[in-house]
Amino acid sequence: MKQPKVSIIVPVYNVEKYLDRCMQSLLGQTLKELEIILVDDGSPDNSPALCDNYESASDNLHWPIIKVIHKINEGLGFARNSGLEI
């Protein structure tokens, strides 16, 4: 399994309008050995589907690794901790 040099945890809640810009910034980094963990904190907008699309698109790439966690809304701190768990 690929070992990333850096893991980035991105809590996601009602950010449908901004998620693409965030992801383009992360994907544009010069360090490619990234693991991006998107934590959908029970977002009621289209953010969960966007997260899944990024994860699916990354399945055929060597880097970066994109993982998605879907959970019930518990707030920013719990979202970050969920990302830390994986």
Side-chain angles (χ1 to χ4, degrees), residues 13-86:
Y13 185 81
N14 278 348
V15 293
E16 168 180 21
K17 291 176 13 180
Y18 312 105
L19 188 57
D20 283 331
R21 184 174 178 195
C22 172
M23 290 300 293
Q24 293 309 313
S25 176
L26 293 175
L27 295 171
Q29 299 301 307
T30 56
L31 176 65
K32 297 301 177 192
E33 294 87 359
L34 294 175
E35 172 185 53
I36 301 170
I37 303 168
L38 300 172
V39 183
D40 164 39
D41 195 27
S43 188
D45 65 358
N46 197 38
S47 295
L50 293 173
C51 290
D52 290 339
N53 289 342
Y54 276 108
E55 183 177 40
S56 294
S58 75
D59 285 345
N60 297 325
L61 301 177
H62 187 66
W63 293 107
I65 300 167
I66 300 176
K67 298 178 182 177
V68 176
I69 302 171
H70 295 285
K71 54 186 281 331
I72 60 168
N73 182 265
E74 295 180 296
L76 185 57
F78 284 104
R80 285 186 183 129
N81 288 339
S82 296
L84 284 172
E85 288 175 9
I86 67 162

